[in-house]
C-alpha cells in the first residue's frame, strides 16, 4: 500500500497494484483529483536492473524521479500535468519535462517568485506574512518549482538585495517573516507582467478573411480558454488609431507568452507574425488546414504542423 504520492507527498485516495503490472493511485489537490499510473517493470525505470537485485520497483521509481521530483510536483500543482492517461516510466517522465513550460533558469525562477509575491498583495505595498507560506506550507514552494524552502528563501533574499522588496520581523535565525514591496519593486513587477512571457496571452497569427473566422472562434479561442490562456488576434483587439497594423502586431506580440500560427490560405502576414514571434524567443505552434499544407513555404514546411480537416479536429 502506498500511503503518500511518490511525486507530491500528498495522501493517496486509492491504490491499485494489479495484474497489468502497473502501480496506480489517486491524489486530491486544488479540489481536483488526479490518477497517476506507474509502470511496474523495474527495467522501465533503470538501465541497471540485475536478476539478483533485491530492490523493489518502488525503490527504482523513487531513484529515477528523485532529481526531477520538484519539477513534476510543480507541474501537478499548476495544472500543467498531461491530460491524457499515460503509464509513466523514465522515458515518459523525460518527455513530460522536455515539453513542459516551467521556470528553468535562475532569472525565470526569480521572476516567477517575484510575480507570485506581487499578486499576494492586498494593495500596493501591503505587508505579506510569508512565514505562513515559506515555513508552514510545503506546497507553496513546490508550486514554484523549488526543491525546498531553502532554495525559495535564497531567491527571496535576492529580491531584498535588489531592493524590490523589504524584509521585516526576523526570527532568531534571521529569517524574515514579513515582506512588502518598494516603489522600485512595484514598477518592475508591472514591467514584467507587460512583457508577455509571464502572461496567459496567446498571439494568434492567421488569415483575416472572414470565411476563416470559424477556425479562430470555434477551435483556437476555445482551446486556449480551456487550457487557461486567452487568445489574442490583432484585428479583434482595440489599439491606438495612430499605430500602423505592424506597430499593433509587434505591440501585441510583446504582451503574449506564445503564438499559434495557422497557415490556412498561406497568408504573408502569418509568416511575418510567426517569424517575429520566433525571433523574440516565443514558442510557436504551427497549424494548417489539410487543403493548404502542400503550399507551405520552404522556410516553415520543415516545422511540425498540426494538420486538420475540420475545426473539431483542430
Amino acid at each position: 500500500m502506498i500511503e503518500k504520492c511518490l511525486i507530491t507527498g500528498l495522501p493517496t485516495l486509492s491504490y491499485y497494484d494489479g495484474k497489468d503490472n502497473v502501480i496506480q493511485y489517486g491524489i486530491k489537490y486544488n479540489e481536483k483529483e488526479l490518477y497517476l499510473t506507474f509502470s511496474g517493470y523495474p527495467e522501465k525505470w533503470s538501465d541497471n536492473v540485475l536478476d539478483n537485485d533485491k530492490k523493489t520497483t518502488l525503490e527504482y521509481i523513487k531513484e529515477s524521479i528523485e532529481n526531477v521530483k520538484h519539477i513534476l510536483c510543480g507541474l501537478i500543482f499548476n495544472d500543467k500535468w498531461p491530460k491524457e492517461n499515460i503509464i509513466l516510466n523514465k522515458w515518459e517522465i523525460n518527455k513530460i519535462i522536455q515539453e513542459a513550460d516551467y521556470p528553468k533558469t535562475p532569472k525565470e525562477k526569480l521572476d516567477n517568485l517575484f510575480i507570485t509575491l506581487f499578486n499576494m498583495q492586498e494593495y500596493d505595498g501591503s505587508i505579506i506574512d510569508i512565514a505562513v507560506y515559506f515555513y508552514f506550507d510545503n506546497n507553496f514552494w513546490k508550486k514554484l518549482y523549488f526543491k525546498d524552502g531553502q532554495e525559495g528563501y535564497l531567491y527571496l533574499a535576492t529580491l531584498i538585495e535588489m531592493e524590490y522588496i523589504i524584509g521585516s520581523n526576523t526570527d532568531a535565525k534571521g529569517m524574515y517573516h514579513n515582506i512588502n514591496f518598494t516603489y522600485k519593486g512595484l514598477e518592475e513587477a508591472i514591467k514584467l507582467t507587460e512583457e508577455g512571457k509571464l502572461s496567459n496571452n496567446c498571439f494568434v497569427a492567421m488569415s483575416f478573411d472572414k470565411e476563416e473566422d470559424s477556425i479562430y472562434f470555434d477551435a483556437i479561442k476555445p482551446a486556449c480558454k480551456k487550457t487557461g490562456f486567452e487568445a489574442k488576434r490583432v484585428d479583434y483587439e482595440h489599439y491606438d488609431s495612430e499605430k500602423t497594423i505592424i506597430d499593433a502586431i509587434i505591440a501585441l506580440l510583446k504582451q503574449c507568452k506564445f503564438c499559434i500560427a495557422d497557415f490556412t490560405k498561406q497568408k504573408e502576414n502569418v509568416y511575418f507574425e510567426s517569424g517575429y514571434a520566433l525571433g523574440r524567443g516565443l514558442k510557436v505552434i504551427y497549424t494548417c488546414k489539410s487543403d493548404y499544407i502542400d503550399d507551405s513555404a520552404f522556410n516553415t514546411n520543415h516545422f511540425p504542423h498540426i494538420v486538420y480537416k475540420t475545426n473539431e479536429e483542430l
Side-chain angles (χ1 to χ4, degrees):
M1 177 68 181
I2 299 177
E3 296 182 352
K4 290 188 176 181
C5 174
L6 300 174
I7 295 174
T8 65
L10 294 173
T12 55
L13 300 177
S14 59
Y15 175 74
Y16 171 76
D17 188 358
K19 298 177 182 178
D20 298 329
N21 213 2
V22 297
I23 299 168
Q24 184 183 65
Y25 56 78
I27 56 173
K28 189 171 184 179
Y29 71 100
N30 298 345
E31 299 183 354
K32 300 177 182 178
E33 290 186 7
L34 173 68
Y35 283 84
L36 299 170
T37 306
F38 299 80
S39 171
Y41 296 100
E43 58 270 22
K44 296 287 188 179
W45 295 99
S46 174
D47 295 327
N48 301 310
V49 178
L50 303 176
D51 292 337
N52 60 350
D53 202 335
K54 295 182 180 180
K55 285 183 182 178
T56 65
T57 301
L58 284 179
E59 288 174 318
Y60 278 114
I61 294 173
K62 289 176 181 178
E63 286 181 2
S64 180
I65 67 174
E66 181 60 31
N67 292 330
V68 296
K69 191 163 58 173
H70 63 291
I71 300 173
L72 302 175
C73 197
L75 294 176
I76 290 174
F77 285 153
N78 286 285
D79 293 322
K80 293 185 177 183
W81 193 257
K83 303 300 180 186
E84 64 273 16
N85 185 19
I86 54 179
I87 298 177
L88 297 171
N89 56 50
K90 66 176 183 178
W91 299 285
E92 290 293 345
I93 292 291
N94 287 337
K95 182 182 177 184
I96 288 171
I97 292 173
Q98 287 173 1
E99 296 178 352
D101 175 35
Y102 66 95
K104 301 176 178 67
T105 66
K107 177 67 164 62
E108 289 173 347
K109 289 182 180 181
L110 187 72
D111 289 346
N112 191 41
L113 172 62
F114 184 49
I115 294 303
T116 299
L117 294 173
F118 175 74
N119 291 330
M120 289 167 60
Q121 298 180 110
E122 291 184 14
Y123 53 87
D124 286 351
S126 64
I127 300 294
I128 304 170
D129 181 4
I130 60 167
V132 176
Y133 305 98
F134 271 75
Y135 312 122
F136 305 115
D137 182 3
N138 288 336
N139 292 338
F140 177 75
W141 50 260
K142 287 179 179 179
K143 192 172 182 179
L144 293 171
Y145 302 94
F146 293 132
K147 287 187 177 182
D148 52 37
Q150 186 175 354
E151 183 186 9
Y153 195 86
L154 167 68
Y155 283 89
L156 177 71
T158 301
L159 291 174
I160 293 173
E161 289 176 8
M162 297 171 73
E163 299 181 348
Y164 288 162
I165 57 178
I166 297 171
S168 58
N169 190 18
T170 57
D171 60 19
K173 294 181 179 180
M175 309 286 271
Y176 296 110
H177 280 216
N178 295 333
I179 62 157
N180 62 290
F181 275 71
T182 64
Y183 179 78
K184 180 180 178 181
L186 293 172
E187 283 211 314
E188 180 65 19
I190 296 300
K191 187 195 301 183
L192 271 177
T193 54
E194 288 178 350
E195 278 185 356
K197 288 189 177 181
L198 291 174
S199 77
N200 286 324
N201 296 331
C202 165
F203 185 94
V204 180
M206 62 176 293
S207 167
F208 293 159
D209 293 352
K210 294 302 179 185
E211 57 264 32
E212 305 302 334
D213 271 2
S214 64
I215 297 172
Y216 179 68
F217 288 106
D218 298 341
I220 295 175
K221 196 173 179 67
C224 285
K225 184 177 181 181
K226 186 177 180 181
T227 48
F229 296 99
E230 185 176 353
K232 300 279 189 180
R233 205 175 98 173
V234 68
D235 57 325
Y236 284 110
E237 296 296 317
H238 297 289
Y239 58 92
D240 190 336
S241 60
E242 293 183 0
K243 287 183 178 179
T244 67
I245 186 67
I246 299 299
D247 290 335
I249 288 168
I250 290 173
L252 185 58
L253 264 166
K254 288 179 178 179
Q255 299 171 25
C256 294
K257 187 181 185 74
F258 67 103
C259 171
I260 294 175
D262 186 84
F263 286 87
T264 300
K265 293 196 173 178
Q266 298 295 325
K267 296 289 187 173
E268 291 180 355
N269 69 289
V270 182
Y271 283 92
F272 170 76
E273 292 162 22
S274 61
Y276 186 81
L278 202 63
R280 283 188 59 82
L282 303 186
K283 292 181 180 179
V284 179
I285 298 173
Y286 300 87
T287 69
C288 187
K289 194 171 281 188
S290 56
D291 295 346
Y292 296 91
I293 190 64
D294 290 339
D295 298 326
S296 297
F298 75 94
N299 53 355
T300 61
N301 59 17
H302 59 287
F303 292 134
H305 286 63
I306 297 173
V307 181
Y308 62 96
K309 291 183 179 179
T310 66
N311 293 338
E312 288 74 21
E313 269 189 339
L314 180 59

